[in-house]
Amino acid sequence: MAAGSRRRVLAPLVQESTPAIIARQLRVAIADGGFPPGSQLTEAGLAADLGVSRGPLREAMQRLTQEGLLVSHRNRGLFVISMDDDDINDMYVARTAIERAALAQVVAHHDDDDLAELRAAIDHMQSFADDPNGREIADADMAFHAQLVECARSPRLSRIHETILVETRMCLGAMRGTYASAQARIDEHTDLLRAVEVRDAEAADRLMIAHMRDGLMRLLPEESTETARAVPPEHPS
């Protein structure tokens, strides 16, 4: 190493603005069902709960409106979105595209630290195997996918994916009770990681498509036609 030069070990600290912090808390509350679909959010009540002024709160709510998590109804106010079947299909179109793109980057980078993080995420899922339809394993499942996209090192993919995962979590209640065993759920993620570990980009992509298709069919089991439209075939030509 040249004299006077040094290798960077620590990443620079990122100072979040107050609106960004508020927006993150609102996303978590929406994802966790604290604010159910269709519920109204009022500035006065939220400002009091959070202990903030209306200025940064208004900016945070505007961010969530731009992301599509809140909708403004004229002369009525802001409401959490309600998702119908078409919305869920569209969500999976976007989610599949983002996670396939992220997966390709993870395969290409093949970073040992990234692989270790993904293995740890699967191990975390395994710790909740006794309750295949519980909240904990669902949260661990989502954490794996969030980590996968983070490993792509694409701020844009991560930003878009964060909103889509909030929408996915809003739908998790409909998915509960559809898993007879946790092991099949965990094995899907394990097989995906193994394909990444051996740098088999084609197999990893195929497994991701199948995984997304399975998730959509659990949410909309009667919508086979719509499912085919939303998620690409498992063996694209």
Side-chain angles (χ1 to χ4, degrees):
M1 182 179 293
S5 65
R6 59 183 294 273
R7 181 172 63 90
R8 173 177 285 177
V9 176
L10 303 176
L13 294 177
V14 177
Q15 295 288 342
E16 277 193 299
S17 66
T18 300
I21 295 171
I22 295 171
R24 188 176 68 248
Q25 289 196 42
L26 291 175
R27 287 190 202 97
V28 171
I30 291 171
D32 289 345
F35 298 125
S39 61
Q40 184 175 12
L41 302 187
T42 62
E43 287 186 10
L46 290 175
D49 290 344
L50 293 166
V52 298
S53 63
R54 293 198 185 189
L57 174 61
R58 191 173 294 120
E59 183 177 337
M61 295 173 79
Q62 182 61 35
R63 292 188 185 192
L64 267 62
T65 302
Q66 292 171 347
E67 292 172 10
L69 295 175
L70 299 179
V71 60
S72 177
H73 293 302
R74 188 175 181 181
N75 298 324
R76 293 178 57 202
L78 286 174
F79 296 79
V80 178
I81 60 166
S82 297
M83 299 182 66
D84 60 20
D85 289 357
D86 286 339
D87 292 320
I88 294 172
N89 270 288
D90 190 50
M91 175 186 74
Y92 266 86
V93 170
R95 185 178 168 192
T96 302
I98 290 168
E99 296 203 21
R100 289 177 73 190
L103 184 62
Q105 292 300 306
V106 174
V107 174
H109 295 156
H110 204 262
D111 184 273
D112 288 340
D113 290 338
D114 291 343
L115 298 179
E117 291 282 357
L118 292 170
R119 286 189 210 103
I122 294 174
D123 289 342
H124 188 54
M125 287 182 65
Q126 189 72 58
S127 65
F128 302 113
D130 290 342
D131 189 5
N133 292 293
R135 179 59 179 267
E136 291 85 0
I137 195 169
D139 288 344
D141 188 331
M142 292 294 97
F144 173 90
H145 290 274
Q147 184 63 49
L148 175 71
V149 176
E150 283 300 309
C151 289
R153 298 183 180 84
S154 168
R156 289 170 178 80
L157 284 180
S158 294
R159 185 168 62 245
I160 299 168
H161 192 247
E162 181 180 17
T163 299
I164 291 175
L165 282 191
V166 173
E167 294 177 335
T168 303
R169 288 172 64 95
M170 291 171 66
C171 300
L172 286 182
M175 193 180 289
R176 288 182 191 169
T178 64
Y179 290 96
S181 163
Q183 201 55 52
R185 186 176 193 173
I186 294 167
D187 287 346
E188 287 184 22
H189 295 79
T190 302
D191 291 344
L192 185 62
L193 179 56
R194 284 174 179 160
V196 175
E197 289 173 334
V198 299
R199 300 187 180 186
D200 191 337
E202 183 178 346
D205 187 60
R206 183 173 64 251
L207 289 166
M208 177 61 78
I209 291 172
H211 184 59
M212 290 292 107
R213 177 179 290 267
D214 177 74
L216 180 55
M217 292 183 68
R218 289 178 186 277
L219 287 172
L220 303 175
E222 304 301 324
E223 300 293 333
S224 58
T225 301
E226 293 300 314
T227 300
R229 182 184 60 141
V231 180
E234 293 182 28
H235 304 281
S237 57

